[in-house]
Amino acid sequence: RSVCLYAFLQPGSSIHDLPAEKLPMARPSQQESLILDILGKERAEEPGQLQMALKFMSELKQNNLDSDGATSVQEFLLMARKVVQMVEEANQITAEVKPGGQTNLKFELCAIAPILALGYGRSCCPELSVRLVRHISQVQAKAKASALKARRASMHSSEILLEQFSSGTGSIDSDSVEVLYNWTFEKFCSRLQIMQEVWQAHSQDPENFDLDEFNHPWSEQGPSELAELRQRYDSLRDSIVSAGTPLRSLQHVQHMSPTAGTLTPFGMHVRRSNDRLEEENQRLRQQVSELSSALHSRSGFRSPPSMAGPHDSAM
């Protein structure tokens, strides 16, 4: 359906005498201004980028012809422009703090959508996310492009490319950057807050500022994730301790038939329970070992002495 608007003018006047905000072209130019702000100067000057964005918006608006849909599209654009400003702030902090001494890190705004679709829900608007990339040198970019060209020419190119994507080693056309992490918008917001605190500490005393190598907001496992890992680690250790008590106590329980020397039904039940507890105990030990390795590699966290011991058996 379409909407027709009528303008009633004074005799002798024209539509150009209307205020600028009343003109039919006002809303499209406002959206185009939003699109330019979202793209940024660098992308807007690239050939075809603006046309691609306008085509995307045209398809998105075709899916939202009613007033609710138009409002959703406008809210998406306004939110995207706000996040662009947040990403710019994160890049400014990154350039000043230089985590790990690196000067080639950059945050980029991205959109998440179902495969071969514009976005989610009734409005089909994509979800916003942020990725952290590392710009690589021209030599590295040429080597990457040459390796990719050789893979495409290989008779097993489809399997190799599929393995490349599944391992997260990069996209096909991103020859000049290496994608480090993809973060949800919520995760980026929490990291930006920590970045602001880091920047404040850096600006107060830049000479003596020291950024924790394993515990900073530019790493995949940030302070909150490390705290969660420690909590899970402690919880699993407690589970092993509590599970180990009945296993040891069952060693002294004998439920044998006094005549035949065989297990009674209750004794068989105890043995099955003991076996299940032993399997659960081993599973928990494995998880503790994995979490301990992750904590040690990310933050230098020292795990307590190994709790592994001889296998417990009831019979």
Side-chain angles (χ1 to χ4, degrees):
R1 62 184 181 180
S2 60
V3 178
C4 294
L5 302 177
Y6 296 89
F8 297 92
L9 309 174
Q10 295 290 337
S13 60
S14 69
I15 191 171
H16 299 291
D17 297 324
L18 290 172
E21 66 271 11
K22 300 296 184 181
L23 292 175
M25 300 82 72
R27 177 162 293 188
S29 62
Q30 181 186 14
Q31 285 198 348
E32 187 170 334
S33 176
L34 281 173
I35 293 172
L36 290 173
D37 290 341
I38 294 169
L39 287 178
K41 183 179 179 181
E42 184 178 345
R43 279 191 63 196
E45 291 177 351
E46 291 182 15
Q49 286 291 319
L50 180 58
Q51 287 74 16
M52 189 184 304
L54 293 174
K55 182 179 179 180
F56 172 83
M57 286 305 306
S58 176
E59 295 180 4
L60 191 60
K61 287 190 287 186
Q62 285 297 318
N63 286 284
N64 295 276
L65 297 176
D66 57 0
S67 59
D68 290 340
T71 301
S72 297
V73 172
Q74 188 72 2
E75 289 176 347
F76 166 73
L77 290 175
L78 293 172
M79 186 64 184
R81 183 173 66 177
K82 179 180 179 181
V83 180
V84 165
Q85 297 171 351
M86 298 169 65
V87 169
E88 290 175 353
E89 180 184 0
N91 283 327
Q92 291 174 0
I93 295 175
T94 302
E96 185 168 346
V97 175
K98 298 180 181 61
Q102 301 184 73
T103 58
N104 52 356
L105 298 179
K106 184 180 180 182
F107 289 99
E108 295 178 348
L109 176 61
C110 304
I112 301 177
I115 188 71
L116 303 179
L118 293 174
Y120 294 94
R122 183 171 176 267
S123 67
C124 291
C125 291
E127 294 182 358
L128 299 177
S129 67
V130 176
R131 71 176 190 172
L132 179 62
V133 302
R134 178 191 292 121
H135 288 271
I136 59 179
S137 65
Q138 291 185 352
V139 175
Q140 291 174 315
K142 289 181 180 179
K144 181 179 177 182
S146 300
L148 184 57
K149 186 177 180 180
R151 288 171 186 164
R152 284 174 170 171
S154 170
M155 60 182 299
H156 303 293
S157 59
S158 58
E159 290 83 356
I160 294 175
L161 288 175
L162 180 60
E163 181 181 356
Q164 179 186 16
F165 278 117
S166 62
S167 61
T169 56
S171 59
I172 290 181
D173 297 320
S174 301
D175 293 333
S176 61
V177 298
E178 175 188 3
V179 180
L180 300 179
Y181 314 121
N182 282 291
W183 292 345
T184 63
F185 175 63
E186 291 75 13
K187 182 172 182 176
F188 170 72
C189 288
S190 64
R191 293 304 180 84
L192 179 58
Q193 184 177 1
I194 304 176
M195 289 180 202
Q196 293 167 344
E197 297 173 357
V198 169
W199 178 82
Q200 279 192 347
H202 176 271
S203 60
Q204 289 174 0
D205 190 5
E207 297 296 331
N208 298 318
F209 176 78
D210 186 21
L211 185 65
D212 190 340
E213 182 181 357
F214 299 103
N215 190 15
H216 59 75
W218 287 270
S219 63
E220 177 68 4
Q221 301 292 344
S224 59
E225 286 86 353
L226 288 175
E228 182 180 354
L229 281 174
R230 288 192 179 98
Q231 184 177 4
R232 289 177 56 194
Y233 180 86
D234 294 338
S235 177
L236 285 171
R237 287 185 65 249
D238 294 341
S239 298
I240 288 182
V241 171
S242 61
T245 302
L247 285 173
R248 286 189 295 270
S249 63
L250 285 174
Q251 292 179 350
H252 308 289
V253 178
Q254 299 293 330
H255 295 281
M256 308 291 290
S257 170
T259 57
T262 59
L263 286 173
T264 64
F266 180 70
M268 296 177 63
H269 171 73
V270 170
R271 169 168 286 180
R272 287 193 297 267
S273 298
N274 191 19
D275 292 341
R276 286 195 298 268
L277 286 173
E278 175 64 23
E279 292 176 0
E280 178 68 12
N281 197 10
Q282 294 303 318
R283 185 183 67 82
L284 290 174
R285 290 180 189 276
Q286 179 65 27
Q287 291 186 17
V288 167
S289 177
E290 294 173 357
L291 286 172
S292 178
S293 300
L295 286 171
H296 188 271
S297 61
R298 297 303 304 170
S299 63
F301 175 75
R302 292 186 176 274
S303 60
S306 174
M307 298 179 58
H311 294 297
D312 298 320
S313 58
M315 305 297 169

